[in-house]
Amino acid sequence: MSETVADTLVGALEQIGVKQIFALIGDSLNPLADAVRRSEIEWIGVRHEEGAALAAAGQAKLTGRLGVCAGTTGPGSTHLVAGLYEASRDHAPVLALSGDMPRDLHGTDYIQTTAPDLLFRDVALYTETISSAGNAPAVIHQAIAAAYAGRGVAHLTLPQDVIGAKAQGAVPSVATLKPRPQILPNETDIADLVVRIDRAERVAVMCGAGCHAAADELRDLSDRLKAPLIHSVKGKDIMPYDDPRWMGGIGMIGTKPVYDAVMRCDLLLMLGTDYPYANFLPSKPVVVQVDERAEVLGRRAPTVFGVLASVRPTLHALLAQLPSKRDRGFFDDLSKARHKWDEMLDRQADPGRSKDRIHPQAVARMVGDLAARDAVFVFDTGLNTLWSANWIRQSGRQRIIGSFNNAAVGTALGQANGIAAIDRTRQVIALCGDGGFNMLMCEFMTAVHHKLPVKVVIYNNSAFGLIHLEAESIGLAPFEKGIQFPNPDFAAFARACGARGFRADRPEDLRGAIAEALACDGPAIVDAVVAADELPNLPHVDLGQIGHFAQAKIREAVLAVTGG
Ligand SMILES: Cc1ncc(C[n+]2csc(CCOP(=O)(O)OP(=O)(O)O)c2C)c(N)n1
């Protein structure tokens, strides 16, 4: 059989090191699937196309390398779109392939018609139809180049007749298709930075995702300046929880002592972070920012100086020149306050805190402490994000992935599947709310089918917990129909899928359920039934909201008494 355009595409993906394609097969994707079948690439058939996009995004977020997903004509493509926002919002390179009907049916309102280039326009940096065998090599090259260059989604539409047609040449210049290199700082910027830092008395260093692989330099910087290191949630995994310099997060995923320190410092060095919540950042002009993305410099807080460069080479250059500071007062104050905060977190996470109820903090703490030291945690969105992110004590080698920019519910399991496929021997744990798990629970079957040993921990509160809290904070009466829901028995569901399932209803069940799930081979679910009325710590609470919250609590009590 002669080579098809699909072979051209698959050949290029093989050459750049793509190991899997996550997809749901169908009509126009058949030639693609056939080419994959004959290649070294693994076809991972999902149960819902959103799961394919999430898996590709999870891989790309963890590795910075191209993730690939595919959905077929019309509805197969529309399902793909939602999951692709994970890659676009978190700046991860993904190639999305969507099938399309043969070209001679275009414009005839044929079954499953969509306008794919319009459909993917918002989520993709580049979207194009492979319109002929002749233009395929150049367009495939351009798409992959765009995904790497812009660190986002590139999309190709594959009309059925074109993708199955005889190939006309291979993709050119494959050697150029690779992740962006680091950007070096220029000398004048470093000199300026050195002066500013030297002049400041209380320096705090805020670390975001751009600080990955710079842990050693951050330690040196902190020691040299006696400066506390704080982090956004995307930077949490960079250093071990118990490193004395790693003081904690900011905002709702963070601590009051860190918030206070940020407000007290006279220089906040923001490194590789585009932390969006301006109300947790200083309003006085004390920010100096380093980032390799020009567009993020200065956009969240009053910034007096910006350096367009990657964090690691900037720290190297800085450390070659930066004088030491002697005064440890600022660091020590925060350190003391941090220990007190930690004691509070420990008390809240104590599984023996209540006899008959499991507190969600205990679930997060237990999972974090029992996980493999190099595990990957994938957080879902909701109250559960706060439990996972505030109570897991990361090892420094563990990684944390989430939907931190897209903030989408139902995204953890799909991303976990993609990450597990990279290395089936590495422990991958998806931590989900019950609402989030319900959304895409079919993807658990993808894990079983493709032997992806993902462990799912469900904080089961029979509610969209965060929405309940949101409604209360604006003074709304509880809307049970909208917020609460019944759940299936998730442990029984796991077993029905051919996997292991564990349920913890009572505090004494928790440790065993989590330990057994983590130790078993293959995918597993822990259904942890947690207290639904647990409140997160609010490091920086708006007093007005406390008022609303109190009103809502009173209204709830009245309704309970009157049976309303
Ligand atoms: C796809 C999507 N739909 C809706 C929302 C709005 N939303 C934010 S948090 C949340 C509740 C999530 O509930 P659950 O998964 O049970 O987690 P919990 O808050 O109870 O921990 C919802 C519906 C969203 N962010 N994403």
Side-chain angles (χ1 to χ4, degrees):
M1 182 188 153
S2 63
E3 292 231 321
T4 64
V5 171
D7 290 300
T8 306
L9 171 57
V10 171
L13 296 177
E14 263 183 319
Q15 280 186 64
I16 64 168
V18 170
K19 300 284 187 253
Q20 288 107 12
I21 292 181
F22 299 89
L24 205 153
I25 205 159
D27 36 48
S28 50
L29 286 190
N30 289 333
L32 178 74
D34 188 54
V36 172
R37 185 180 59 76
R38 290 179 278 105
S39 77
E40 296 291 309
I41 294 179
E42 184 184 3
W43 177 277
I44 299 196
V46 297
R47 303 302 164 113
H48 187 296
E49 291 85 351
E50 185 177 348
L54 291 172
Q59 290 196 333
K61 286 188 201 183
L62 189 79
T63 64
R65 303 200 62 87
L66 192 76
V68 184
C69 57
T72 190
T73 316
S77 312
T78 55
H79 276 185
L80 210 54
V81 172
L84 289 175
Y85 279 89
E86 275 311 313
S88 76
R89 301 290 299 135
D90 265 349
H91 321 292
V94 162
L95 177 65
L97 305 168
S98 69
D100 195 14
M101 63 197 64
R103 282 166 306 169
D104 58 6
L105 291 170
H106 283 182
T108 65
D109 199 17
Y110 193 63
I111 185 167
Q112 295 189 323
T113 289
T114 58
D117 291 343
L118 280 181
L119 179 63
F120 287 86
R121 169 59 58 208
D122 182 52
V123 77
L125 298 159
Y126 176 90
T127 170
E128 192 52 71
T129 299
I130 301 186
S131 58
S132 71
N135 88 342
V139 168
I140 294 167
H141 183 278
Q142 189 62 53
I144 300 172
Y148 270 135
R151 289 198 291 217
V153 176
H155 163 251
L156 289 175
T157 305
L158 318 175
Q160 196 169 352
D161 54 326
V162 178
I163 196 71
K166 189 167 176 300
Q168 290 182 25
V171 173
S173 313
V174 172
T176 62
L177 301 173
K178 54 188 179 189
R180 278 198 329 218
Q182 298 213 312
I183 299 179
L184 305 184
N186 72 44
E187 283 174 18
T188 19
D189 282 351
I190 293 297
D192 199 327
L193 210 49
V194 168
V195 172
R196 286 170 189 277
I197 294 174
D198 194 37
R199 238 194 269 138
E201 283 177 10
R202 295 179 304 280
V203 179
V205 183
M206 177 164 175
C207 311
C211 293
H212 278 105
D216 290 341
E217 292 79 3
L218 290 172
R219 275 190 200 97
D220 289 350
L221 182 74
S222 168
D223 293 346
R224 179 97 49 101
L225 299 177
K226 319 295 177 285
L229 304 175
I230 66 170
H231 58 77
S232 68
V233 64
K234 293 176 93 179
K236 174 178 163 82
D237 56 2
I238 292 166
M239 283 177 52
Y241 185 86
D242 56 12
D243 188 298
R245 310 164 188 88
W246 204 235
M247 300 285 184
I250 186 162
M252 291 292 285
I253 297 177
T255 77
K256 174 92 167 50
V258 163
Y259 173 75
D260 292 342
V262 165
M263 293 303 149
R264 248 189 84 201
C265 72
D266 62 357
L267 192 146
L268 179 67
L269 180 57
M270 289 178 65
L271 300 177
T273 174
D274 183 32
Y275 182 76
Y277 302 105
N279 51 332
F280 292 102
L281 295 174
S283 50
K284 48 188 188 191
V286 293
V287 171
V288 168
Q289 194 178 359
V290 178
D291 208 291
E292 55 187 21
R293 300 161 293 176
E295 70 277 14
V296 314
L297 292 173
R299 73 174 170 188
R300 306 294 184 196
T303 302
V304 291
F305 190 61
V307 177
L308 176 61
S310 307
V311 171
R312 195 154 175 255
T314 303
L315 291 181
H316 267 279
L318 261 183
L319 287 164
Q321 301 181 29
L322 202 58
S324 299
K325 289 190 191 295
R326 290 230 190 92
D327 188 347
R328 299 186 54 89
F330 182 56
F331 185 97
D332 289 345
D333 287 351
L334 178 52
S335 194
K336 263 185 234 141
R338 177 240 168 118
H339 282 116
K340 277 207 178 130
W341 187 272
D342 271 352
E343 283 164 16
M344 178 188 73
L345 296 183
D346 291 350
R347 283 195 298 277
Q348 290 171 333
D350 180 355
R353 191 174 130 207
S354 299
K355 281 216 176 72
D356 52 351
R357 286 145 52 87
I358 298 177
H359 296 280
Q361 298 94 329
V363 177
R365 180 56 66 82
M366 192 84 80
V367 171
D369 289 357
L370 294 177
R373 294 299 83 194
D374 67 343
V376 182
F377 301 108
V378 188
F379 297 172
D380 214 280
T381 299
L383 268 185
N384 59 89
T385 320
L386 306 183
W387 313 134
S388 301
N390 284 316
W391 274 271
I392 283 180
R393 296 187 285 204
Q394 74 284 354
S395 70
R397 285 193 296 130
Q398 291 163 334
R399 290 295 313 274
I400 296 173
I401 301 292
S403 178
F404 301 130
N405 283 336
N406 194 31
V409 175
T411 47
L413 176 57
Q415 295 193 84
N417 280 345
I419 291 167
I422 297 170
D423 174 0
R424 286 170 165 91
T425 66
R426 187 171 186 181
Q427 192 176 72
V428 181
I429 306 172
L431 292 119
C432 309
D434 44 5
F437 184 73
N438 270 311
M439 266 189 196
L440 222 51
M441 60 198 280
C442 57
E443 288 310 305
F444 188 70
M445 206 50 222
T446 299
V448 174
H449 177 180
H450 296 281
K451 301 194 167 25
L452 305 170
V454 169
K455 314 297 181 189
V456 183
V457 177
I458 303 172
Y459 299 87
N460 180 349
N461 56 5
S462 289
F464 293 121
L466 186 64
I467 304 307
H468 181 66
L469 198 68
E470 262 177 24
E472 288 195 323
S473 73
I474 55 170
L476 300 178
F479 178 45
E480 267 134 35
K481 252 194 189 166
I483 285 173
Q484 294 178 1
F485 46 81
N487 279 315
D489 177 339
F490 294 121
F493 166 75
R495 291 191 286 274
C497 291
R500 302 289 305 279
F502 305 87
R503 183 172 166 97
D505 283 298
R506 303 177 54 80
E508 62 269 26
D509 304 335
L510 190 61
R511 188 179 187 91
I514 294 173
E516 266 200 79
L518 295 182
C520 74
D521 290 334
I525 291 178
V526 176
D527 181 1
V529 181
V530 295
D533 55 357
E534 193 76 27
L535 290 176
N537 299 316
L538 305 168
H540 170 74
V541 203
D542 180 309
L543 287 177
Q545 286 186 345
I546 289 190
H548 289 312
F549 183 70
Q551 273 174 32
K553 282 282 167 212
I554 293 165
R555 207 171 301 175
E556 256 174 67
V558 172
L559 288 177
V561 173
T562 57

